[in-house]
Amino acid sequence: MNTITIVIALAAIVAASIIVIVVSQMREKARIERARKITALEDSYKRCNRLLSEIPGQYLTPDLKLLLLKRMEDICNDLAGLKSGLPVEQWREAAVQRKTLVRENRDEVRPVKIDSAEKSNYVKELLQNLFKMIEAMHKSGRIDGATAKKNLKYVLFLVHKTHADLHVFQAREHIRQNQTRKAIHAYHLASTEMGKSRDNPLAMKAVKSFRIRIKELEAMSLEGNDTKPADSESQLDKQWDNFLHDEEWKKKADYD
């Protein structure tokens, strides 16, 4: 075997070795990237499921539920293409069944009383995560601009409402303890929070109710009567607890 043949043979061996190494590295890189995508999608699915199960029922409108379920279905479709080994079909079937319940108005999520700063902040965190998810869905082209704008505005309104919920709870507690001035201050704070959503008719309705309530409490305070507020509280309580489900105002609402 002459020198040229030996050199060519060695070059071929080196080239083959390089090709094997490159292909091996590419496969390893693809495997790592696939694993990363699967992990990211699994985390996204769990995050959506958490929002769907932990955001208080009084805040979750059918539109928000359907957005979350759409995202969960999209994640399942992406995972199915990656052959992840996760129970994707089970997840997808659960999302489809839940969508049917939502569309038939048979899906009930338990309401949660916002009676502490910790709860208020936790719900705010959940709503902020929902806001980011809707933004991401819009940027990726999964929802159109009008749908994104409508729901993003509504989620911001809910962030303000969770603070107002806490102030209303505190106001009620002050009233029960005959601390009228503190109750008035708490209602002022609730009114300020809802005033941040001036383009939302539900928020403006709440502000009007709070102002009326404040005037009632101020009049009672001037009269030195601290026993009547608790008796007259129930009507405002009922309006506040149910105003997200006030169909007449929902029909008038235009978030676009």
Side-chain angles (χ1 to χ4, degrees), residues 224-242:
N225 188 343
D226 290 331
T227 58
K228 286 185 179 180
D231 297 332
S232 59
E233 178 191 13
S234 59
Q235 184 177 358
L236 178 64
D237 286 353
K238 186 175 181 180
Q239 289 175 347
W240 177 248
D241 292 339
N242 295 292

Side-chain angles (χ1 to χ4, degrees), residues 67 70 134-135 137-145 147-148:
L67 270 181
K70 172 179 170 50
I134 296 171
E135 277 189 323
M137 290 179 73
H138 178 226
K139 288 178 182 177
S140 64
R142 296 181 187 274
I143 56 175
D144 58 47
T147 300

Side-chain angles (χ1 to χ4, degrees), residues 61-113:
T61 63
D63 282 349
L64 291 177
K65 290 179 185 177
L66 290 174
L67 270 181
L68 283 165
L69 290 167
K70 172 179 170 50
R71 180 62 186 134
M72 291 165 79
E73 278 191 284
D74 289 343
I75 291 169
C76 288
N77 292 336
D78 291 342
L79 283 171
L82 292 170
K83 296 181 173 57
S84 64
L86 294 167
V88 175
E89 286 305 316
Q90 182 180 339
W91 290 353
R92 180 160 38 202
E93 182 60 28
V96 170
Q97 290 177 359
R98 185 78 181 268
K99 269 173 65 173
T100 300
L101 291 175
V102 173
R103 286 171 174 164
E104 293 177 355
N105 200 28
R106 293 190 294 118
D107 182 65
E108 294 185 4
V109 182
R110 183 176 62 87
V112 175
K113 182 180 289 187

Side-chain angles (χ1 to χ4, degrees), residues 27-37:
R27 285 180 177 175
E28 180 62 15
K29 188 175 180 179
R31 186 191 67 79
I32 292 172
E33 179 62 16
R34 176 175 170 274
R36 186 196 65 77
K37 286 182 179 179

Side-chain angles (χ1 to χ4, degrees), residues 186-198:
Y187 278 127
H188 271 300
L189 293 175
S191 179
T192 299
E193 283 297 328
M194 297 313 295
K196 294 176 182 177
S197 291
R198 293 187 178 277

